[in-house]
């Protein structure tokens, strides 16, 4: 639902007038090679773990009987983490209002009317 909300906000911004692809990439050759090397080493570690699984701990902790049901999730969300939940909702609301204000200001600057 949040992704759909952001999709609508981006649609409100009306970025059709922008030119894309004119800027040069920010990463230079050395940083690109560093990232490629890092990802290659990470990929090799994954392949090694799949090939030689004896070094992986195969013990899995059993899940609780009510794991993933509505009641424990609701208790955590609305009792234990109520303040971060409300702060996140306020932050999203402010971001949406700011995007709408910026989109309206951009239309006014371009001489467009609703």
């Amino acid at each position: 639902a949040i992704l759909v909300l952001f999709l609508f906000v981006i649609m409100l911004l009306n970025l059709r007038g922008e030119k894309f692809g004119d800027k040069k990439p920010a990463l230079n050759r050395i940083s690109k090679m560093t990232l490629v090397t890092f990802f290659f080493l990470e990929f090799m570690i994954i392949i090694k773990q799949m090939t030689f699984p004896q070094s992986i701990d195969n013990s899995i902790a059993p899940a609780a009987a009510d794991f993933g049901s509505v009641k424990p999730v609701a208790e955590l969300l609305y009792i234990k983490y109520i303040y971060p939940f409300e702060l996140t909702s306020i932050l999203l609301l402010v971001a949406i209002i700011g995007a709408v204000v910026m989109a309206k200001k951009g239309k006014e600057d371009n001489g467009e009317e609703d």
Side-chain angles (χ1 to χ4, degrees):
I2 293 173
L3 290 175
V4 172
L5 184 68
F6 281 121
L7 176 68
F8 285 122
V9 170
I10 290 171
M11 287 170 50
L12 279 173
L13 289 177
N14 194 12
L15 298 175
R16 280 184 261 147
E18 299 287 328
K19 300 242 181 209
F20 296 109
D22 292 342
K23 295 181 181 179
K24 298 286 182 187
L27 297 174
N28 60 12
R29 186 178 176 96
I30 294 171
S31 60
K32 287 178 184 177
M33 292 303 291
T34 304
L35 283 173
V36 167
T37 304
F38 173 74
F39 287 129
F40 180 75
L41 288 173
E42 187 175 3
F43 184 68
M44 287 292 115
I45 290 171
I46 291 170
I47 295 294
K48 179 187 173 275
Q49 291 293 333
M50 289 173 62
T51 307
F52 305 108
Q54 67 270 12
S55 61
I56 299 175
D57 185 19
N58 290 329
S59 63
I60 299 174
D66 61 350
F67 179 77
S69 65
V70 175
K71 185 178 179 184
V73 172
E75 285 176 355
L76 284 175
L77 190 60
Y78 295 120
I79 295 174
K80 185 174 182 183
Y81 296 110
I82 186 68
Y83 294 119
F85 177 74
E86 289 298 325
L87 288 175
T88 303
S89 66
I90 292 170
L91 179 68
L92 288 172
L93 180 66
V94 168
I96 291 168
I97 292 171
V100 170
V101 168
M102 287 174 53
K104 287 194 180 260
K105 190 180 290 187
K107 283 185 178 181
E108 291 172 0
D109 292 343
N110 292 334
E112 296 178 10
E113 293 183 15
D114 290 333

